[in-house]
Amino acid sequence: CHLIHYLRLSHHLIVLNYLICTFDKLKSVSSEDIKITDAVFDGVEVRVFEPPAKGDESLKRSVVYIHGGGWALASARTSLYNNLCRIMAESLNAVVVSVEYRLVPEVCFPEQYHDALRATKHFLQPDVLAEYSVDPSRIAISGDSAGGNLAAAVCQQLSKDEDLTVRPKLQALIYPVLQAFDFNTPSYQQNMNMPVLPRYVMINYWIDYINGNYALAHELLINNHTALNVGRALSFRARLNWTSLLPPSFKKNYKPVVQTTGTAAIVERLPALLDVRAVPLLADDATLARQPRTYVLTCENDVLRDDGAMYATRLERAGVPVTLDHFHDCFHGCMIFTVWPTDFSAGVKTRNSYIKWLDENL
């Protein structure tokens, strides 16, 4: 049974990896419009996109971008992300720093988080910002999917760092994965077999990220790890109560799946399941209140839709200005698929809306 499950997952990852890595990694080839260079920020590889200087301006705005791919796939250098960041740099006339964090299976949590945090903190140093002619008051942290997870976690940590002199003005999260507490939210139930990111694949991404075992997949799927008898999970339950956090149009007629008796040993063996650095939606209200103005993009046909919507609600209740940009006819991962042979109208539509928000708010 587990072998069949593993083979299904392996086949899915091969197909998804082909889509994301449609072409080989691109070298840092600059154009007349954008200078592209590879650098190392505090031991972490990054790719920097710089638009040409204009005569009437001294400093540029900037976006730190963290790519998706289940903490296991893709790269800042693949064509799809290279293209996205180049277009962002051109459209916003902004310096874009794309973080090349290490991936599963080379490393697991918390190393991806530490890579993203180290690279971001290095960039936020005043002398580094000056080197790239970046306005310290106009910086955004952004990412999609697993990159949205890392962006949210990094933003939360930056808000607690008293030594920082520069903080991000905005965070922009694209269909972020934000919790491993409840795999039966309405969007997980509605889209459990949706192509690109079925529920079992997302669960296995989590298992790989936190260095677990595929044998636990079914326990996670039925929420045995957060049953009512799991003491460590009880204190977090209200922070992920989708019945109070989601609008009726998201809840539809779905019912919560809450086990009375589950398997407490799971969170004992895998404490990252309840670690806020891995699961940003578990953050307390005081941490959320310190977050910058936030943009959250969600897609109807996506198991992660409710992760983003719940985070938007919690941030809003904590007093943070939030824009929830929901697309009824789009799917997980669509924003990077704008290059032939995977050039989808959904990708262009979501990308344009995201860039428009950044342009108006950064």
Side-chain angles (χ1 to χ4, degrees):
C1 178
H2 294 315
L3 177 60
I4 293 172
H5 183 80
Y6 178 76
L7 290 174
R8 287 174 66 203
L9 179 66
S10 297
H11 177 262
H12 175 88
L13 294 181
I14 290 170
V15 173
L16 189 57
N17 198 38
Y18 172 77
L19 285 174
I20 293 176
C21 304
T22 309
F23 307 105
D24 292 334
K25 290 185 179 181
L26 300 177
K27 295 180 180 178
S28 56
V29 179
S30 302
S31 66
E32 291 182 8
D33 301 320
I34 299 294
K35 177 186 176 185
I36 304 175
T37 54
D38 291 327
V40 176
F41 286 1
D42 191 15
V44 181
E45 295 181 14
V46 298
R47 173 160 286 190
V48 185
F49 300 76
E50 298 175 80
K54 293 184 178 178
D56 58 345
E57 120 190 306
S58 55
L59 297 176
K60 291 185 174 2
R61 48 194 178 176
S62 182
V63 179
V64 175
Y65 194 84
I66 308 173
H67 72 78
W71 307 284
L73 302 174
S75 162
R77 299 189 181 105
T78 51
S79 64
L80 298 179
Y81 282 108
N82 193 83
N83 183 62
L84 171 63
C85 291
R86 180 183 55 77
I87 289 174
M88 288 167 59
E90 287 178 353
S91 302
L92 298 168
N93 190 38
V95 175
V96 177
V97 176
S98 189
V99 181
E100 185 79 323
Y101 59 93
R102 291 168 296 164
L103 302 173
V104 168
E106 179 190 352
V107 297
C108 299
F109 174 82
E111 297 310 316
Q112 287 87 342
Y113 162 79
H114 285 316
D115 283 359
L117 180 62
R118 285 206 315 274
T120 303
K121 287 184 69 173
H122 177 88
F123 182 62
L124 292 178
Q125 294 178 103
D127 58 331
V128 178
L129 296 176
E131 179 185 343
Y132 288 100
S133 299
V134 167
D135 185 339
S137 67
R138 303 178 74 192
I139 301 168
I141 310 293
S142 185
D144 66 294
S145 194
N149 168 283
L150 295 170
V154 165
C155 243
Q156 289 183 8
Q157 181 57 37
L158 294 177
S159 73
K160 301 173 186 176
D161 193 330
E162 296 180 357
D163 296 329
L164 276 184
T165 57
V166 177
R167 299 181 190 278
K169 179 182 181 182
L170 309 171
Q171 68 174 337
L173 312 176
I174 314 303
Y175 30 74
V177 47
L178 298 171
Q179 60 92 22
F181 191 97
D182 184 357
F183 290 106
N184 290 274
T185 62
S187 61
Y188 265 113
Q189 294 187 54
Q190 173 185 321
N191 300 296
M192 65 174 67
N193 296 314
M194 187 63 63
V196 180
L197 191 63
R199 175 168 62 174
Y200 79 91
V201 169
M202 190 62 244
I203 289 173
N204 280 283
Y205 276 143
W206 271 113
I207 289 172
D208 285 338
Y209 183 42
I210 61 178
N211 201 22
N213 189 301
Y214 289 147
L216 295 175
H218 181 70
E219 300 255 26
L220 298 177
L221 186 148
I222 62 175
N223 289 346
N224 265 356
H225 61 304
T226 52
L228 295 177
N229 71 319
V230 180
R232 290 185 60 192
L234 278 177
S235 61
F236 295 113
R237 187 163 294 282
R239 300 179 191 178
L240 289 103
N241 180 10
W242 61 258
T243 63
S244 67
L245 292 171
L246 295 178
S249 61
F250 282 29
K251 288 189 286 189
K252 301 179 172 65
N253 294 316
Y254 292 102
K255 305 299 180 187
V257 175
V258 181
Q259 306 295 347
T260 303
T261 304
T263 311
I266 297 175
V267 293
E268 299 298 330
R269 294 207 310 263
L270 299 173
L273 286 167
L274 299 177
D275 189 322
V276 70
R277 298 172 302 168
V279 189
L281 194 50
L282 292 181
D284 57 35
D285 291 342
T287 298
L288 296 185
R290 292 193 291 265
Q291 300 313 297
R293 179 182 292 272
T294 299
Y295 172 90
V296 181
L297 187 150
T298 56
C299 296
E300 182 68 19
N301 305 307
D302 181 7
V303 292
L304 301 179
R305 179 197 68 199
D306 297 344
D307 285 24
M310 287 191 287
Y311 199 51
T313 299
R314 289 201 62 212
L315 286 168
E316 199 165 44
R317 290 179 181 176
V320 177
V322 178
T323 298
L324 178 61
D325 197 7
H326 181 62
F327 290 83
H328 294 278
D329 56 350
C330 292
F331 57 92
H332 185 81
C334 63
M335 200 176 79
I336 60 169
F337 295 128
T338 60
V339 181
W340 187 90
T342 55
D343 47 340
F344 301 128
S345 60
V348 175
K349 180 165 57 175
T350 51
R351 186 187 68 195
N352 288 349
S353 188
Y354 161 70
I355 289 177
K356 181 174 183 287
W357 185 88
L358 285 173
D359 192 34
E360 293 173 349
N361 292 276
L362 186 56

